[in-house]
Amino acid sequence: FDEAVASELIAVGPCGHQICAACAVAYFRSGLGSVAEEVKPQGLRCPMFSAGCEGFLSADTVDRHLVGRHDAVETMGEPVSTDELERFRRFVEDAAIPPERRFFCVEAECARLMSLDVAALLAQERPRVECPHCRTVQCVRCKILWHGALTCEEVASMKQDADAGGDSASRADESLIEATTKGCPNCGFRISHYHSHACHHIRPGTGCPGCGHHFCYSCLGPGS
């Protein structure tokens, strides 16, 4: 790290390690860009984790010291926003959910992670749940919007019939693509985002195959 005046240093956490606030902003945003790898239930690992530090940069520390500050590279860019802070809080909460309890809302406009007793729900004849974030009612077994009076077996049978039919299969394929993908806001190329991925960001270079545009899969706004 470069030299910094004491007034520009912040303590990462209880570990006592200090880092200049501008560099901390860049570190924080880098973590938001690699949520699945970097965000843990306690927050972001201290920058000194490679030297053995077990401390974490928490959401409270970001709130106290980083919101409103610019990073060390893009000094003329946008300062850390409360929206970024809230995203970080949500990612930290999501990281604390055990793998066996993870279930993503099937509503494409939401796609938020829920903590459910999936095994107990699948043992039920009608595993119906309501997303606490968007209130969409859905089926845990079929992973679709709630199918009302139809049983899960009937839904599976209808899908098999559609897969076996000619033109009907084509229409079913089109409906499936429409339901499980979104169009790139820049070029319209249909993209399916793997729901087990903790972050909605379609990252540069690995985003839209049609034009390379990066964006948020959830709201289709520009990636950050």
Side-chain angles (χ1 to χ4, degrees):
F1 298 99
D2 296 329
E3 292 184 0
V5 296
S7 61
E8 288 298 314
L9 295 175
I10 67 166
V12 172
C15 64
H17 287 123
Q18 295 184 318
I19 180 175
C20 80
C23 293
V25 170
Y27 184 76
F28 168 66
R29 283 180 164 158
S30 175
L32 286 185
S34 303
V35 172
E37 297 83 12
E38 302 297 338
V39 178
K40 311 299 179 185
Q42 304 91 334
L44 285 174
R45 292 178 296 182
C46 170
M48 297 300 293
F49 74 89
S50 59
C53 180
E54 297 181 353
F56 286 87
L57 175 67
S58 70
D60 288 342
T61 299
V62 173
D63 191 14
R64 286 197 305 271
H65 299 297
L66 300 187
V67 172
R69 289 182 179 266
H70 295 79
D71 71 32
V73 178
E74 298 182 7
T75 55
M76 300 302 292
E78 293 292 325
V80 173
S81 65
T82 54
D83 179 64
E84 288 176 296
L85 171 63
E86 291 311 309
R87 285 171 53 208
F88 182 48
R89 289 191 191 279
R90 174 160 59 87
F91 292 148
V92 168
E93 292 174 0
D94 289 352
I97 300 175
E100 67 275 9
R101 292 188 61 89
R102 291 173 170 246
F103 186 84
F104 287 86
C105 176
V106 302
E107 170 54 56
E109 296 301 318
C110 176
R112 290 282 299 274
L113 180 63
M114 294 180 271
S115 177
L116 304 175
D117 189 341
V118 177
L121 284 164
L122 291 177
Q124 298 177 14
E125 184 177 348
R126 295 172 67 79
R128 177 184 182 274
V129 296
E130 180 182 282
C131 175
H133 308 294
C134 70
R135 301 303 175 188
T136 296
V137 180
Q138 51 210 277
C139 177
V140 174
R141 181 177 293 111
C142 302
K143 294 184 175 61
I144 61 174
L145 300 181
W146 183 242
H147 39 74
L150 292 174
T151 66
C152 294
E153 290 75 15
E154 289 172 330
V155 171
S157 178
M158 291 170 64
K159 184 180 184 303
Q160 289 178 350
D161 291 343
D163 289 344
D167 291 338
S168 61
S170 179
R171 288 193 296 271
D173 288 345
E174 291 175 1
S175 297
L176 181 62
I177 291 172
E178 183 69 23
T180 60
T181 67
K182 289 187 178 183
C184 168
N186 188 54
C187 72
F189 190 94
R190 304 297 299 188
I191 298 173
S192 179
H193 192 47
Y194 180 42
H195 276 193
S196 287
H197 196 293
C199 179
H200 295 310
H201 185 193
I202 305 299
R203 301 175 64 186
T206 57
C208 176
C211 67
H213 182 60
H214 63 106
F215 59 95
C216 173
Y217 188 79
S218 179
C219 70
L220 299 182
S224 61

